[in-house]
Amino acid sequence: MRIFHLSAECYPVAKVGGLADVVGALPKYQNQAGQNAAVVMPFYNRKFVHENTFDVVFQGTTLLGTRRIYFEILKETTDKLGFELFLIKIPGLLDRENIYSYPDEQDQFMAFQICFLDWINWSGQTPDLVHCHDHHSGLVPFMMYHSALYTRLAHIPTIFTIHNGQYHGAFGWERLNLLPEIDFYKTGLLDWNGGINPLASAVKCCWRFTTVSPNYLKELSINSNGLEYLFYVERHKGYGIINGIDTEVWDANADPMVPNKFTAATVNKGKQKNKELLCTRFHLSPDKPLIVFIGRLVVEKGADVLPAAIQRSIQQHGDEVNFLILGTGDPETEMALQKLKDLYPQNCNVFIGYDESLAHLIYAGADFLLMPSRVEPCGLNQLYAIRYGTIPVVRTTGGLADTVIDFGDEDGYGIRFNNVSVDDISISITRAVELYSDSKKMLLLRTRMMGLDFSWYRSAKEYIDLYESLTPTI
């Protein structure tokens, strides 16, 4: 089956968040399962394109409203990522360094989508399925089915995956002229709340939509930044599929970023050695439970309550606990965490920024990973932690509820709490400190976690099964 994945991000080409991790892994595992999956994304002037070779496989011009634009399709020559990678380059529009936040971002992603459709249409390609990811490619289903230019593609199934339903990419009707030759009787399929909403349009027009966890599918009908009723109405088209992790990258026994490698059989010894390296670097004691946070320091991740929760826990437990924070985001939260570091240098340290190698070492050396997320469609950090024998301490929401079972329940291995509050987080930290004192229980939970399967092999099969249900003759 020939599948095109459309995305604004793909690891390691260009990454801001979990979208890149998914798109960088799912097609690879689909190909290993016998499919023919490729990724199409915008060209970014970044390290990856300078360190690898590309062939120009197509050149053309198209219209963005009344503006004639020239575009190229570049293909990475070696398929080193495990799938074909195509980049859409538009001089002056899709050839910049950053992924987001340009004032003409709407033009960028509109042009990206139109150029993709023009390319496969004019080059005579007929994919078996087009898989769009998030609102940056959300207008593709509408254009495929309701633009006279693309009638040749109108029979092709489309899947739309929502990685974060809070972001819609909405804009005003004055930009309708950017779309190519549409059926104006169908403009209601673009509309939500008086404007053009690419995410809403994709949900309306695609054959099926997926979310990155079953629980998040339910939550979208309750909290999706104004699209709650739409998700309720279209719920019959929705499927929740848990993201996987790339077990070739995330392997405690083969990870080049982990100095002391380990398996489930050697987890205590290996983790302790990595913990000692971490604690030496950050001036903490390796004899205390090490609780960490890795991620964006933003309200969505519950980072605003972290400083108060950590301070209360240190006051409650004194020298019985250590905290290490790796992340960047809200300046006030960053400042509050830095103050904690100054107040409690023996119990708390902070690394403002992001360092991939350090993140791997933290997963390998920490005892507990704290995720007090308000919104977490799937979450990958808890899956990385589980893979490395680090016990996740998570709020019961989204994919965290689907992937973490509290250790007090049957076959459990994590710690869960219900509210993003100082009280709930502090109580969970107390449970973690008490659990740490039971070495036999800790070993049991670590080995149990490391035996779980959250690989892309499982998730890729679920996607393929969904594809095949839409294309039974292929």
Side-chain angles (χ1 to χ4, degrees):
M1 187 184 303
R2 179 58 164 170
I3 306 149
F4 280 118
H5 289 271
L6 272 66
S7 175
E9 301 178 35
C10 175
Y11 178 82
V13 187
K15 173 180 175 177
V16 170
L19 168 63
D21 293 316
V22 173
V23 178
L26 175 56
K28 177 172 74 171
Y29 285 89
Q30 289 178 333
N31 287 343
Q32 290 179 11
Q35 306 304 312
N36 183 6
V39 170
V40 185
M41 64 183 297
F43 177 99
Y44 303 107
N45 187 25
R46 298 167 80 96
K47 182 179 178 182
F48 185 91
V49 300
H50 296 296
E51 293 182 347
N52 295 277
T53 56
F54 293 81
D55 288 336
V56 176
V57 296
F58 188 86
Q59 296 172 298
T61 64
T62 193
L63 286 174
L64 185 64
T66 58
R67 176 183 173 188
R68 175 69 63 177
I69 58 174
Y70 166 82
F71 69 94
E72 296 177 341
I73 308 295
L74 284 69
K75 181 182 184 297
E76 194 271 318
T77 57
T78 66
D79 294 346
K80 66 184 294 183
L81 301 181
F83 51 81
E84 291 180 301
L85 172 68
F86 297 95
L87 307 181
I88 297 180
K89 184 176 184 179
I90 304 173
L93 196 61
L94 293 181
D95 60 354
R96 306 169 187 171
E97 181 178 357
N98 295 327
I99 302 174
Y100 306 120
S101 300
Y102 290 104
D104 57 353
E105 181 177 298
Q106 293 168 351
D107 289 5
Q108 289 182 294
F109 290 118
M110 184 77 81
F112 163 62
Q113 296 172 84
I114 293 170
C115 289
F116 164 73
L117 291 174
D118 282 354
W119 166 48
I120 61 170
N121 194 32
W122 295 344
S123 60
Q125 299 181 70
T126 307
D128 297 308
L129 186 137
V130 175
H131 191 149
C132 303
H133 296 264
D134 271 351
H135 70 82
H136 321 98
S137 56
L139 294 175
V140 165
F142 175 85
M143 289 189 285
M144 284 175 63
Y145 305 139
H146 304 295
S147 171
L149 295 182
Y150 308 123
T151 53
R152 192 181 69 81
L153 309 175
H155 68 286
I156 297 172
T158 52
I159 297 287
F160 181 65
T161 294
I162 301 158
H163 298 263
N164 192 328
Q166 297 295 309
Y167 303 105
H168 303 171
F171 51 89
W173 284 104
E174 72 278 0
R175 307 181 74 79
L176 179 64
N177 69 312
L178 298 181
L179 289 170
E181 228 179 298
I182 64 168
D183 180 350
F184 284 97
Y185 288 102
K186 301 294 185 179
T187 53
L189 294 170
L190 297 169
D191 177 72
W192 196 263
N193 197 29
I196 296 174
N197 188 309
L199 190 141
S201 177
V203 171
K204 294 176 186 179
C205 296
C206 69
W207 286 30
R208 299 289 186 274
F209 71 89
T210 70
T211 61
V212 290
S213 70
N215 196 57
Y216 190 57
L217 177 63
K218 299 174 186 175
E219 290 182 359
L220 286 174
S221 297
I222 302 168
N223 179 18
S224 51
N225 198 15
L227 296 183
E228 293 80 9
Y229 182 68
L230 174 66
F231 284 112
Y232 174 76
V233 170
E234 298 285 356
R235 63 191 182 280
H236 63 284
K237 292 167 58 175
Y239 290 78
I241 300 176
I242 288 283
N243 282 342
I245 60 173
D246 192 335
T247 52
E248 295 176 10
V249 174
W250 296 94
D251 181 355
N253 198 38
D255 191 335
M257 302 181 206
V258 173
N260 300 285
K261 297 170 178 48
F262 57 91
T263 65
T266 59
V267 58
N268 274 358
K269 182 178 180 181
K271 285 188 73 68
Q272 185 62 28
K273 287 184 177 180
N274 291 310
K275 182 179 178 181
E276 289 169 359
L277 288 175
L278 271 176
C279 290
T280 298
R281 176 173 173 180
F282 290 100
H283 312 292
L284 302 170
S285 168
D287 299 323
K288 305 172 189 175
L290 178 60
I291 301 174
V292 302
F293 174 95
I294 301 174
R296 293 180 293 127
L297 299 173
V298 294
V299 169
E300 184 180 293
K301 299 295 184 182
D304 54 308
V305 299
L306 272 180
I310 290 174
Q311 183 166 21
R312 180 183 292 184
S313 295
I314 292 174
Q315 291 170 346
Q316 286 178 337
H317 301 288
D319 284 337
E320 296 179 19
V321 64
N322 282 336
F323 293 91
L324 177 60
I325 311 298
L326 168 62
T328 183
D330 176 65
E332 289 186 11
T333 303
E334 291 181 0
M335 188 179 302
L337 290 169
Q338 292 281 20
K339 288 181 179 177
L340 276 183
K341 172 184 172 182
D342 295 335
L343 277 173
Y344 306 102
Q346 304 301 315
N347 300 91
C348 182
N349 211 325
V350 181
F351 184 103
I352 299 298
Y354 187 73
D355 182 313
E356 187 75 18
S357 295
L358 176 57
H360 282 242
L361 178 58
I362 291 174
Y363 286 119
D367 298 302
F368 301 92
L369 173 77
L370 183 58
M371 293 183 70
S373 304
R374 287 186 172 85
V375 179
E376 199 66 70
C378 175
L380 293 174
N381 287 12
Q382 83 278 14
L383 302 183
Y384 300 147
I386 288 168
R387 178 80 170 153
Y388 284 56
T390 297
I391 295 171
V393 182
V394 305
R395 178 176 172 245
T396 303
T397 188
L400 300 179
D402 287 315
T403 57
V404 178
I405 303 172
D406 192 274
F407 78 90
D409 298 330
E410 184 178 358
D411 297 324
Y413 44 84
I415 296 174
R416 284 185 15 183
F417 56 94
N418 292 326
N419 301 300
V420 185
S421 67
V422 172
D423 287 343
D424 274 28
I425 295 171
S426 299
I427 291 169
S428 296
I429 290 171
T430 295
R431 293 184 69 201
V433 171
E434 292 172 352
L435 175 60
Y436 183 80
S437 65
D438 186 341
S439 58
K440 289 184 179 179
K441 186 73 169 179
M442 284 290 291
L443 178 59
L444 172 65
L445 300 187
R446 284 172 170 174
T447 54
R448 180 178 293 169
M449 284 189 295
M450 293 186 72
L452 298 174
D453 180 14
F454 287 109
S455 72
W456 270 115
Y457 292 108
R458 174 190 52 79
S459 300
K461 184 180 185 305
E462 290 189 52
Y463 277 107
I464 292 168
D465 288 344
L466 177 57
Y467 296 168
E468 291 178 343
S469 73
L470 303 178
T471 55
T473 61
I474 294 172

